[in-house]
Amino acid sequence: IILYIHFLLFYIFIFSLQPSKDSNTNKTADDLAKVTLHDQADDETVEQPIDNEPTATKTAEEVGLEVETKDNELLSKDQTWDTLGVRPEIKEALFDMNFNSPSKIQSTTFPLIMKTPVSHLIAQAKNGAGKTGAFGLGVISRLDETSNAIQAIIFAHTLELVNQIESVLAKMAKKTKLKVTALHSSDKNKEAGHIVVITPGHFDTCFLKKKQYKLDQVKMIVFDEADYMFTNEVTLQVAEKTLKH
């Protein structure tokens, strides 16, 4: 993956809890699909690896990229929440937040997150492009409201980001039965909701070492600002332990 310092990246791992005959485990690097939305400033990139192999050292030619060029605007001209298939209760919450139409990164990533069979997703966008809304919309739309288990983990590298993400996703999910929880190191035995927003260090302590919370029903893992996270050795170690869990 080519990373640009002035971009922010998020990485979503989506897991199927039930084996599928359409499993992607036999796919090769040649099956990697990538859609790129960019303008003169290269403002958005979405990459969807179908296999589980690291792609950071792959070139565009090696993985075979599909590139789509669009104009220099943040909002998608040809998509609405309805055309994307966003559920009515989530759409109402988005309107309440004055998110009246999807941004390019949201309209591009949502169908990829919702597709079956599931696969992982890497997405890249500038500040203000709707990145948090992009992964938040996908997470909220994929989870099971009938289960009270923790189903999604969102990693952020600062407490400020943890709180910001929790605030945005709680507003997006307010008309659903999903609960969003920000977990801090100062919290003692705090009840966790369907979606947990947390720093990697605290996750390592309370989920992996102390085992205060169960991970057996987790369907989605998001690394926000992953370009920073995966260059930090401690965070990278936590990510590797989490994905092996």
Side-chain angles (χ1 to χ4, degrees), residues 20 24 28 71 73 84 103 105 115 129 136 148 152 166 177 183 198 202 204 212 217:
S20 169
N24 291 317
T28 67
D71 53 25
E73 293 183 9
L84 286 176
S103 68
I105 195 70
K115 68 178 288 189
N148 291 324
E166 186 272 340
K177 296 179 181 178
L183 289 182
I198 193 169
H202 186 45
D204 188 35
Q212 292 176 244
Q217 295 298 308

Side-chain angles (χ1 to χ4, degrees), residues 64-84:
L65 305 186
E66 299 175 9
V67 179
E68 180 180 355
T69 304
K70 292 195 174 183
D71 53 25
N72 186 16
E73 293 183 9
L74 289 177
L75 294 180
S76 177
K77 287 184 176 181
D78 52 359
Q79 292 282 6
T80 67
W81 300 124
D82 287 328
T83 59
L84 286 176

Side-chain angles (χ1 to χ4, degrees), residues 5-168:
I5 299 303
H6 61 290
F7 281 52
L8 296 178
L9 184 80
F10 67 79
Y11 201 151
I12 302 181
F13 293 90
I14 309 175
F15 306 94
S16 174
L17 295 181
Q18 309 223 336
S20 169
K21 65 181 180 180
D22 295 319
S23 171
N24 291 317
T25 54
N26 295 323
K27 297 291 185 179
T28 67
D30 292 334
D31 296 312
L32 181 68
K34 180 172 181 177
V35 178
T36 301
L37 301 183
H38 65 85
D39 54 27
Q40 294 177 352
D42 286 326
D43 80 343
E44 297 181 3
T45 303
V46 178
E47 180 175 339
Q48 189 164 10
I50 298 176
D51 62 0
N52 291 323
E53 295 300 317
T55 60
T57 59
K58 302 292 184 181
T59 66
E61 292 76 15
E62 287 174 325
V63 298
L65 305 186
E66 299 175 9
V67 179
E68 180 180 355
T69 304
K70 292 195 174 183
D71 53 25
N72 186 16
E73 293 183 9
L74 289 177
L75 294 180
S76 177
K77 287 184 176 181
D78 52 359
Q79 292 282 6
T80 67
W81 300 124
D82 287 328
T83 59
L84 286 176
V86 175
R87 300 204 311 264
E89 66 273 23
I90 300 175
K91 182 179 70 173
E92 289 178 21
L94 292 170
F95 283 138
D96 288 347
M97 299 169 70
N98 292 321
F99 294 170
N100 296 321
S101 59
S103 68
K104 284 184 185 178
I105 195 70
Q106 292 162 0
S107 63
T108 305
T109 56
F110 184 71
L112 298 176
I113 296 171
M114 298 301 293
K115 68 178 288 189
T116 301
V118 299
S119 66
H120 305 325
L121 173 73
I122 303 172
Q124 200 172 50
K126 287 182 177 180
N127 271 325
K131 175 177 58 70
T132 303
F135 67 71
L137 179 62
V139 168
I140 292 167
S141 298
R142 281 203 72 99
L143 301 190
D144 180 6
E145 296 183 37
T146 65
S147 169
N148 291 324
I150 298 172
Q151 299 176 51
I153 304 292
I154 300 176
F155 288 108
H157 63 86
T158 69
L159 291 178
E160 181 182 6
L161 279 173
V162 166
N163 292 332
Q164 288 177 2
I165 294 169
E166 186 272 340
S167 177
V168 172

